[in-house]
Structures are given as C-alpha cells and as structure tokens.
Amino acid sequence: MVKEEILPKKEFTECTSMDICIRFASKAFFTGEKYLIKDISEKGIQKIIENVRNKKYKSLYLSLDPDGEIDCCKYLTLESTGEWIAIQIVDDINNIWYSSFDINYLNSEEVSPIECSDGQSEILKKYTIHNVKLAADCIEWFIRTSEPYPGMEWLKTTC
C-alpha cells in the first residue's frame, strides 16, 4: 500500500559538516562517462552547488554508491528547466521516496515543462519547486548528510 505524507520543515542548525557522503555524481540520470562529474572533492562539490544556484544543470544525479547503482543505497535526482525544479531522494532499501512539492498543485495531475534526462519520464507539477536557492541548499545538505534538507517541506512516499 502506497502512503503519502507531508513532512513539515524542522528546526535545525546550519550544517557545519564538511563531510562528503556522495560517492558518485552525474549531469544526467545515467552512469555513462559522457555525463560523469569526476571531481567530488570539496572544490568539486562547491562547483556543483554553484552550478545548481546558477541554473546550469538541467539534471543532476548524486548517489552514495561509487558506481551510481540505484538499488543499493540512497540517491538524489534533480531535473529542472531553471524555473521548474524537481528534487527526489530515493531510499530503495527502505522503499521511501522524498519529493519536493508545490502545495498549489498537490491534487493536480498536470505535467510540468521539465524534460527529464532519461528522455521518457514526466514530472507532475505537484513535485516541483521554483526556488533555486532552496534547491541548492537541498543538494548541499544531501551531499553532506545523505538526508533530506530539514529547511524544506517534503512529500514522503512509502510502500
């Protein structure tokens, strides 16, 4: 049975960790060499965050698995037009998905204008946000902690 719930923002202190939890990064939801982001050092992480803030990525895939495998650990995807942004954190081991969402479209099945990097998926408007700074904060938090950013509401789906 699929269950959806809104997780509210939480009180939190800024992340002071300089840890890098991700082991794989790509500019598309693929593991191919063409899209690979090879530098996931601190300097590379800062560039990823800067590129998100500057709307330079239409897609971003971050995984805790060094090979980018999707069925063994958590991963994050970002798909974007620059104005429409969808972020999802997937924990396949526990069958939990955390999605960004827009409360104004929560009951809508309207498709967003985002063209996904896999070439076939459609993202509903209900799974989008329009705040690039918030998106960058989510990306950095996941990189540092492997968890959803507590400064944003998330739509949690469990099976």
Side-chain angles (χ1 to χ4, degrees), residues 1 4 10 18 33 42 47 49 52 57 59-60 62 67 82-83 88-89 105 108 119 123 125 134 138 141 144-145 153:
M1 181 170 108
E4 282 188 339
K10 298 177 185 173
M18 295 309 285
E33 189 71 27
E42 184 57 37
K47 182 138 180 89
I49 296 163
V52 171
Y57 289 142
S59 184
L60 182 64
L62 306 173
D67 298 318
E83 303 306 318
Q88 187 172 64
I89 297 171
Y105 292 100
S108 170
I123 296 175
K125 287 183 176 181
L134 183 58
C138 292
W141 191 272
R144 305 280 183 209
T145 69
E153 292 181 309

Side-chain angles (χ1 to χ4, degrees), residues 63-123:
S63 177
L64 303 187
D65 182 77
D67 298 318
E69 295 296 323
I70 63 171
D71 58 355
C72 63
C73 55
K74 287 184 190 174
Y75 63 89
L76 177 146
T77 63
L78 174 141
E79 300 284 357
S80 175
T81 66
E83 303 306 318
W84 294 83
I85 305 162
I87 301 171
Q88 187 172 64
I89 297 171
V90 178
D91 179 351
D92 276 338
I93 293 170
N94 296 304
N95 293 319
I96 301 171
W97 297 264
Y98 300 93
S99 303
S100 57
F101 73 97
D102 184 333
I103 196 76
N104 298 313
Y105 292 100
L106 199 55
N107 296 314
S108 170
E109 295 298 312
E110 192 175 346
V111 176
S112 77
I114 297 171
E115 293 181 19
C116 293
S117 60
D118 69 4
Q120 62 188 13
S121 298
E122 292 181 332
I123 296 175

Side-chain angles (χ1 to χ4, degrees), residues 29-63:
F29 191 48
F30 297 110
T31 56
E33 189 71 27
K34 177 180 176 182
Y35 301 101
L36 189 63
I37 299 171
K38 294 180 181 174
D39 184 4
I40 54 173
S41 67
E42 184 57 37
K43 182 179 176 184
I45 295 306
Q46 291 305 316
K47 182 138 180 89
I48 290 170
I49 296 163
E50 177 185 324
N51 284 338
V52 171
R53 280 197 179 102
N54 293 326
K55 304 178 185 180
K56 291 190 177 180
Y57 289 142
K58 290 186 185 256
S59 184
L60 182 64
Y61 172 58
L62 306 173
S63 177

